[in-house]
Amino acid sequence: MAVETTAAPIQVTDAAWQAIEGGYDLQVHVAPDVIGRRIDDMDLAKEFLAHKLKGFVLKSHYVPTYERAKVVTKASPGITAYGAITLNHSVGGLNPVALEIAGRSGNKIVWMPTVDAANETAGRSDGPTDKLPFWAKIQRELSATGISPAPISVLDGSGKVSDAARRCLELIGKHDMILATGHLSKKEIHALVKVAKKEMGLKRVLVTHAEFPSQNMTAQEQVEVADLGAMIEHCFTTMYTNKAPWEAYFDSVRKVGPERVVLSTDLGQTINPPVTEGFAMFAQKMLDAGFPAADVRRMCVTNSTALIS
Protein backbone atom coordinates (compact mmCIF):
# COMPACT_ATOMS: atom_id res chain seq x y z
CA MET A 1 0.00 0.00 0.00
CA ALA A 2 1.34 3.39 -0.94
CA VAL A 3 1.76 6.04 1.71
CA GLU A 4 -0.08 9.32 1.29
CA THR A 5 1.77 11.43 -1.25
CA THR A 6 1.28 14.79 -2.83
CA ALA A 7 -0.20 15.01 -6.32
CA ALA A 8 -0.72 17.64 -8.98
CA PRO A 9 -3.14 20.37 -7.85
CA ILE A 10 -6.68 20.36 -9.17
CA GLN A 11 -8.01 23.73 -10.29
CA VAL A 12 -11.37 24.26 -8.60
CA THR A 13 -14.14 26.25 -10.29
CA ASP A 14 -17.12 28.02 -8.74
CA ALA A 15 -19.29 25.20 -10.04
CA ALA A 16 -17.47 22.71 -7.83
CA TRP A 17 -17.90 24.86 -4.72
CA GLN A 18 -21.57 25.26 -5.54
CA ALA A 19 -21.96 21.50 -5.95
CA ILE A 20 -20.79 20.81 -2.39
CA GLU A 21 -22.52 23.75 -0.69
CA GLY A 22 -24.46 22.52 2.31
CA GLY A 23 -22.68 19.19 2.32
CA TYR A 24 -21.30 16.91 5.03
CA ASP A 25 -17.95 15.15 4.86
CA LEU A 26 -18.50 11.76 6.49
CA GLN A 27 -14.82 10.95 7.06
CA VAL A 28 -12.18 13.41 8.24
CA HIS A 29 -9.00 12.76 10.22
CA VAL A 30 -8.12 15.92 12.15
CA ALA A 31 -6.49 16.90 15.44
CA PRO A 32 -6.49 16.19 18.28
CA ASP A 33 -5.20 12.78 17.28
CA VAL A 34 -2.34 10.45 18.12
CA ILE A 35 -1.22 10.99 14.51
CA GLY A 36 -0.06 14.43 13.37
CA ARG A 37 -2.77 16.34 11.46
CA ARG A 38 -2.78 19.54 9.43
CA ILE A 39 -5.79 21.10 11.22
CA ASP A 40 -7.83 20.62 14.38
CA ASP A 41 -11.57 20.13 14.62
CA MET A 42 -12.35 23.67 15.79
CA ASP A 43 -10.49 25.31 12.92
CA LEU A 44 -12.02 22.83 10.49
CA ALA A 45 -15.45 23.96 11.65
CA LYS A 46 -14.47 27.56 10.82
CA GLU A 47 -13.32 26.52 7.34
CA PHE A 48 -16.51 24.57 6.70
CA LEU A 49 -18.63 27.51 7.76
CA ALA A 50 -16.64 29.88 5.52
CA HIS A 51 -17.29 27.60 2.54
CA LYS A 52 -21.00 27.11 3.34
CA LEU A 53 -20.61 23.47 4.31
CA LYS A 54 -22.75 21.98 7.08
CA GLY A 55 -20.53 19.60 9.00
CA PHE A 56 -18.37 16.51 9.24
CA VAL A 57 -17.80 13.20 11.00
CA LEU A 58 -14.66 12.98 13.14
CA LYS A 59 -12.85 9.69 12.56
CA SER A 60 -10.13 8.24 14.72
CA HIS A 61 -8.65 4.78 14.37
CA TYR A 62 -8.03 4.67 18.11
CA VAL A 63 -10.49 6.65 20.25
CA PRO A 64 -14.21 7.51 20.24
CA THR A 65 -15.01 11.05 19.09
CA TYR A 66 -18.66 11.47 20.09
CA GLU A 67 -17.99 13.62 23.19
CA ARG A 68 -15.52 15.76 21.27
CA ALA A 69 -18.05 16.26 18.48
CA LYS A 70 -20.59 17.71 20.90
CA VAL A 71 -18.07 20.33 22.06
CA VAL A 72 -17.20 21.30 18.48
CA THR A 73 -20.87 21.62 17.58
CA LYS A 74 -21.68 23.83 20.58
CA ALA A 75 -18.65 26.04 19.94
CA SER A 76 -19.34 26.35 16.20
CA PRO A 77 -22.82 27.74 15.46
CA GLY A 78 -23.89 26.74 11.97
CA ILE A 79 -21.76 23.59 11.92
CA THR A 80 -22.60 20.11 13.15
CA ALA A 81 -19.79 17.74 14.04
CA TYR A 82 -20.69 14.09 14.46
CA GLY A 83 -18.87 11.53 16.57
CA ALA A 84 -17.79 8.03 15.67
CA ILE A 85 -16.15 4.93 17.05
CA THR A 86 -13.88 2.46 15.27
CA LEU A 87 -13.87 -1.10 16.59
CA ASN A 88 -10.12 -1.60 16.85
CA HIS A 89 -8.29 -3.06 19.84
CA SER A 90 -7.97 0.34 21.53
CA VAL A 91 -11.72 0.22 22.31
CA GLY A 92 -11.83 -3.53 22.87
CA GLY A 93 -12.46 -4.63 19.29
CA LEU A 94 -15.95 -6.02 18.68
CA ASN A 95 -16.94 -4.72 22.09
CA PRO A 96 -20.66 -4.50 22.93
CA VAL A 97 -20.03 -2.38 26.02
CA ALA A 98 -18.21 0.25 23.97
CA LEU A 99 -21.04 0.26 21.44
CA GLU A 100 -23.79 0.53 24.05
CA ILE A 101 -22.06 3.52 25.65
CA ALA A 102 -21.45 5.05 22.23
CA GLY A 103 -25.08 4.65 21.29
CA ARG A 104 -26.29 6.23 24.52
CA SER A 105 -23.87 9.12 23.95
CA GLY A 106 -25.19 10.06 20.51
CA ASN A 107 -22.50 8.36 18.45
CA LYS A 108 -23.29 8.51 14.73
CA ILE A 109 -20.98 6.13 12.80
CA VAL A 110 -19.53 2.77 13.81
CA TRP A 111 -16.59 1.69 11.73
CA MET A 112 -15.74 -1.98 11.76
CA PRO A 113 -12.02 -2.68 12.43
CA THR A 114 -9.55 -0.70 10.37
CA VAL A 115 -5.92 -0.84 11.50
CA ASP A 116 -6.60 -4.04 13.47
CA ALA A 117 -8.68 -5.79 10.81
CA ALA A 118 -7.34 -9.20 9.83
CA ASN A 119 -7.61 -8.04 6.24
CA GLU A 120 -5.43 -4.95 6.80
CA THR A 121 -1.78 -6.00 6.73
CA ALA A 122 -0.04 -2.65 6.27
CA GLY A 123 0.94 -2.28 9.93
CA ARG A 124 2.01 -5.86 10.58
CA SER A 125 5.59 -6.50 11.61
CA ASP A 126 5.99 -9.17 8.94
CA GLY A 127 4.80 -6.92 6.12
CA PRO A 128 6.80 -4.67 3.79
CA THR A 129 8.49 -1.72 5.43
CA ASP A 130 8.34 0.84 2.64
CA LYS A 131 5.45 3.10 1.65
CA LEU A 132 3.45 2.55 4.81
CA PRO A 133 0.45 4.69 5.80
CA PHE A 134 0.92 6.98 8.80
CA TRP A 135 -0.93 4.75 11.24
CA ALA A 136 1.20 1.71 10.38
CA LYS A 137 4.11 3.19 12.34
CA ILE A 138 2.01 3.17 15.48
CA GLN A 139 0.93 -0.41 14.86
CA ARG A 140 4.52 -1.52 14.51
CA GLU A 141 5.61 0.37 17.61
CA LEU A 142 2.86 -1.30 19.63
CA SER A 143 3.90 -4.69 18.30
CA ALA A 144 7.54 -4.00 19.17
CA THR A 145 6.56 -3.44 22.81
CA GLY A 146 4.65 -6.71 22.92
CA ILE A 147 1.22 -5.14 22.49
CA SER A 148 -0.04 -7.12 19.55
CA PRO A 149 -3.46 -8.76 19.99
CA ALA A 150 -4.71 -11.04 17.26
CA PRO A 151 -6.15 -9.28 14.19
CA ILE A 152 -9.94 -9.01 14.10
CA SER A 153 -12.30 -10.62 11.61
CA VAL A 154 -16.09 -10.40 11.58
CA LEU A 155 -16.29 -13.97 10.27
CA ASP A 156 -15.99 -17.14 12.30
CA GLY A 157 -14.08 -20.28 11.38
CA SER A 158 -16.85 -21.46 9.09
CA GLY A 159 -16.87 -18.18 7.14
CA LYS A 160 -20.12 -16.90 8.62
CA VAL A 161 -20.65 -13.60 10.43
CA SER A 162 -19.51 -14.27 13.99
CA ASP A 163 -21.67 -14.04 17.09
CA ALA A 164 -19.55 -11.11 18.32
CA ALA A 165 -20.11 -9.22 15.07
CA ARG A 166 -23.83 -9.99 15.15
CA ARG A 167 -24.08 -8.58 18.66
CA CYS A 168 -22.41 -5.40 17.40
CA LEU A 169 -24.91 -5.18 14.55
CA GLU A 170 -27.77 -5.54 17.01
CA LEU A 171 -26.49 -2.59 19.04
CA ILE A 172 -25.84 -0.48 15.96
CA GLY A 173 -29.44 -1.09 14.93
CA LYS A 174 -30.80 -0.50 18.44
CA HIS A 175 -29.24 2.96 18.57
CA ASP A 176 -29.83 3.70 14.87
CA MET A 177 -26.17 4.29 14.19
CA ILE A 178 -24.52 3.99 10.78
CA LEU A 179 -22.66 0.75 10.13
CA ALA A 180 -19.48 1.44 8.13
CA THR A 181 -17.35 -1.47 6.97
CA GLY A 182 -13.88 -0.11 7.79
CA HIS A 183 -10.95 -2.07 6.37
CA LEU A 184 -12.68 -5.44 6.15
CA SER A 185 -12.09 -7.70 3.17
CA LYS A 186 -14.48 -7.94 0.24
CA LYS A 187 -15.73 -11.30 1.52
CA GLU A 188 -16.37 -9.87 4.98
CA ILE A 189 -18.08 -6.78 3.58
CA HIS A 190 -20.50 -8.81 1.49
CA ALA A 191 -21.36 -11.17 4.34
CA LEU A 192 -21.73 -8.38 6.89
CA VAL A 193 -23.89 -6.20 4.65
CA LYS A 194 -26.13 -9.15 3.82
CA VAL A 195 -26.72 -9.94 7.48
CA ALA A 196 -27.11 -6.28 8.45
CA LYS A 197 -29.62 -5.44 5.74
CA LYS A 198 -31.44 -8.68 4.96
CA GLU A 199 -31.53 -10.36 8.38
CA MET A 200 -31.34 -7.54 10.91
CA GLY A 201 -32.89 -4.69 8.98
CA LEU A 202 -30.28 -2.04 9.73
CA LYS A 203 -31.37 1.20 8.14
CA ARG A 204 -28.00 2.74 7.39
CA VAL A 205 -25.03 0.79 6.00
CA LEU A 206 -22.03 2.40 4.32
CA VAL A 207 -19.26 0.53 2.51
CA THR A 208 -16.06 2.36 3.42
CA HIS A 209 -13.76 3.69 0.63
CA ALA A 210 -14.53 0.91 -1.82
CA GLU A 211 -11.40 1.43 -3.98
CA PHE A 212 -8.93 1.57 -1.08
CA PRO A 213 -6.24 -1.11 -1.55
CA SER A 214 -7.37 -3.28 1.35
CA GLN A 215 -10.90 -3.34 -0.12
CA ASN A 216 -10.14 -3.02 -3.84
CA MET A 217 -13.73 -3.70 -4.82
CA THR A 218 -14.55 -3.96 -8.49
CA ALA A 219 -17.50 -2.07 -9.92
CA GLN A 220 -19.54 -5.29 -10.03
CA GLU A 221 -18.73 -6.10 -6.40
CA GLN A 222 -19.87 -2.62 -5.43
CA VAL A 223 -23.10 -3.10 -7.36
CA GLU A 224 -23.72 -6.37 -5.53
CA VAL A 225 -23.50 -4.85 -2.04
CA ALA A 226 -25.43 -1.78 -3.16
CA ASP A 227 -28.16 -4.15 -4.36
CA LEU A 228 -28.24 -5.55 -0.81
CA GLY A 229 -29.07 -2.05 0.43
CA ALA A 230 -25.72 -0.46 1.26
CA MET A 231 -24.50 2.96 0.21
CA ILE A 232 -21.05 3.02 -1.36
CA GLU A 233 -18.51 5.54 -0.08
CA HIS A 234 -15.65 6.79 -2.24
CA CYS A 235 -12.85 8.85 -0.69
CA PHE A 236 -10.84 11.58 -2.37
CA THR A 237 -7.51 10.51 -0.89
CA THR A 238 -7.71 7.04 -2.43
CA MET A 239 -7.46 8.35 -5.97
CA TYR A 240 -5.60 11.58 -5.21
CA THR A 241 -2.68 9.64 -3.71
CA ASN A 242 -2.68 7.11 -6.56
CA LYS A 243 -3.95 4.16 -4.54
CA ALA A 244 -6.58 3.61 -7.23
CA PRO A 245 -7.02 5.02 -10.75
CA TRP A 246 -9.56 7.78 -11.32
CA GLU A 247 -11.04 6.07 -14.38
CA ALA A 248 -11.82 2.88 -12.46
CA TYR A 249 -13.52 4.97 -9.80
CA PHE A 250 -15.59 6.90 -12.37
CA ASP A 251 -16.66 3.61 -13.91
CA SER A 252 -17.77 2.28 -10.52
CA VAL A 253 -19.88 5.36 -9.82
CA ARG A 254 -21.56 5.11 -13.20
CA LYS A 255 -22.41 1.44 -12.67
CA VAL A 256 -23.54 1.75 -9.05
CA GLY A 257 -25.45 4.96 -9.73
CA PRO A 258 -25.10 8.37 -8.00
CA GLU A 259 -28.24 7.64 -5.98
CA ARG A 260 -26.29 4.95 -4.06
CA VAL A 261 -22.99 6.80 -3.69
CA VAL A 262 -21.53 9.06 -0.99
CA LEU A 263 -18.37 11.11 -1.52
CA SER A 264 -16.08 11.79 1.45
CA THR A 265 -12.55 13.17 1.62
CA ASP A 266 -10.69 11.00 4.18
CA LEU A 267 -8.44 14.07 4.53
CA GLY A 268 -6.57 15.71 7.38
CA GLN A 269 -3.08 14.32 6.74
CA THR A 270 -0.25 16.84 6.99
CA ILE A 271 0.94 16.35 3.39
CA ASN A 272 -2.44 16.26 1.66
CA PRO A 273 -4.72 19.18 0.67
CA PRO A 274 -6.90 20.94 3.25
CA VAL A 275 -10.18 19.15 3.88
CA THR A 276 -12.45 21.80 2.41
CA GLU A 277 -10.30 22.27 -0.68
CA GLY A 278 -10.07 18.52 -1.14
CA PHE A 279 -13.85 18.23 -1.00
CA ALA A 280 -14.16 20.82 -3.77
CA MET A 281 -11.38 19.12 -5.75
CA PHE A 282 -13.34 15.87 -5.57
CA ALA A 283 -16.42 17.60 -6.98
CA GLN A 284 -14.29 19.19 -9.69
CA LYS A 285 -12.89 15.82 -10.78
CA MET A 286 -16.44 14.53 -11.12
CA LEU A 287 -17.54 17.55 -13.15
CA ASP A 288 -14.46 17.26 -15.35
CA ALA A 289 -15.30 13.60 -15.95
CA GLY A 290 -18.69 14.59 -17.33
CA PHE A 291 -20.94 13.94 -14.35
CA PRO A 292 -23.84 16.43 -14.24
CA ALA A 293 -23.70 18.99 -11.44
CA ALA A 294 -26.97 17.57 -10.06
CA ASP A 295 -25.39 14.12 -9.70
CA VAL A 296 -22.29 15.54 -8.03
CA ARG A 297 -24.48 17.45 -5.60
CA ARG A 298 -26.47 14.33 -4.87
CA MET A 299 -23.32 12.39 -3.94
CA CYS A 300 -21.70 15.21 -1.96
CA VAL A 301 -24.74 16.73 -0.27
CA THR A 302 -28.08 14.96 -0.65
CA ASN A 303 -27.00 11.40 0.07
CA SER A 304 -24.64 12.22 2.91
CA THR A 305 -27.27 14.45 4.51
CA ALA A 306 -29.89 11.72 4.30
CA LEU A 307 -27.49 9.18 5.77
CA ILE A 308 -26.29 11.31 8.66
CA SER A 309 -29.62 12.91 9.62
Side-chain angles (χ1 to χ4, degrees):
M1 179 189 303
V3 70
E4 289 82 352
T5 57
T6 56
I10 299 166
Q11 298 301 316
V12 177
T13 64
D14 289 343
W17 285 110
Q18 291 166 5
I20 65 171
E21 186 174 321
Y24 292 88
D25 187 343
L26 301 191
Q27 186 173 172
V28 301
H29 295 268
V30 296
D33 194 3
V34 67
I35 299 170
R37 302 299 183 189
R38 69 173 298 145
I39 193 170
D40 65 30
D41 45 21
M42 298 298 291
D43 284 340
L44 181 62
K46 295 175 184 176
E47 287 195 3
F48 266 54
L49 191 62
H51 288 289
K52 300 180 181 180
L53 296 166
K54 288 293 187 181
F56 46 82
V57 177
L58 296 165
K59 184 176 183 181
S60 168
H61 291 296
Y62 298 102
V63 297
T65 63
Y66 43 81
E67 293 180 346
R68 173 177 147 200
K70 290 181 179 179
V71 175
V72 176
T73 299
K74 184 173 182 179
S76 310
I79 293 294
T80 303
Y82 291 99
I85 187 170
T86 308
L87 300 182
N88 288 317
H89 284 306
S90 56
V91 301
L94 302 178
N95 181 358
V97 177
L99 275 182
E100 177 65 20
I101 297 301
R104 294 186 184 195
S105 300
N107 183 79
K108 185 58 69 170
I109 290 186
V110 177
W111 273 283
M112 285 290 121
T114 58
V115 299
D116 290 317
N119 177 63
E120 182 54 84
T121 61
R124 304 279 157 73
S125 58
D126 57 349
T129 58
D130 61 337
K131 297 183 178 180
L132 290 173
F134 294 117
W135 48 260
K137 182 174 183 290
I138 295 175
Q139 296 299 105
R140 293 197 170 201
E141 288 171 351
L142 291 172
S143 181
T145 63
I147 305 173
S148 186
I152 304 168
S153 174
V154 299
L155 303 182
D156 60 22
S158 65
K160 296 180 179 179
V161 175
S162 68
D163 290 342
R166 283 176 173 270
R167 182 62 178 134
C168 289
L169 295 182
E170 290 172 0
L171 292 167
I172 292 169
K174 172 186 174 181
H175 293 286
D176 195 24
M177 296 183 283
I178 299 168
L179 165 65
T181 55
H183 290 207
L184 301 180
S185 68
K186 293 186 283 190
K187 180 180 179 181
E188 290 175 290
I189 290 169
H190 191 278
L192 194 71
V193 170
K194 186 174 182 179
V195 169
K197 295 297 294 185
K198 299 305 182 182
E199 292 186 29
M200 295 189 174
L202 267 66
K203 296 178 182 177
R204 298 184 286 182
V205 177
L206 185 64
V207 173
T208 308
H209 47 45
E211 284 82 20
F212 196 71
S214 53
Q215 285 63 68
N216 193 28
M217 298 180 73
T218 65
Q220 181 55 39
E221 288 165 340
Q222 293 176 38
V223 168
E224 289 172 3
V225 290
D227 285 347
L228 291 172
M231 297 292 287
I232 309 298
E233 179 196 50
H234 304 278
C235 289
F236 177 70
T237 54
T238 304
M239 283 67 69
Y240 182 78
T241 58
N242 300 314
K243 294 182 181 71
W246 282 104
E247 288 305 321
Y249 153 70
F250 295 144
D251 180 60
S252 293
V253 173
R254 292 186 180 103
K255 289 178 178 174
V256 172
E259 69 279 3
R260 303 192 291 184
V261 167
V262 169
L263 303 187
S264 305
T265 68
D266 200 11
L267 284 171
Q269 303 83 11
T270 55
I271 62 173
N272 280 333
V275 179
T276 51
E277 291 182 22
F279 205 5
M281 289 178 185
F282 208 0
Q284 187 66 56
K285 289 292 291 188
M286 301 300 291
L287 293 171
D288 291 346
F291 287 86
D295 285 351
V296 177
R297 183 164 184 80
R298 179 160 192 172
M299 294 182 284
C300 292
V301 181
T302 307
N303 293 346
S304 57
T305 300
L307 194 63
I308 205 74
S309 299

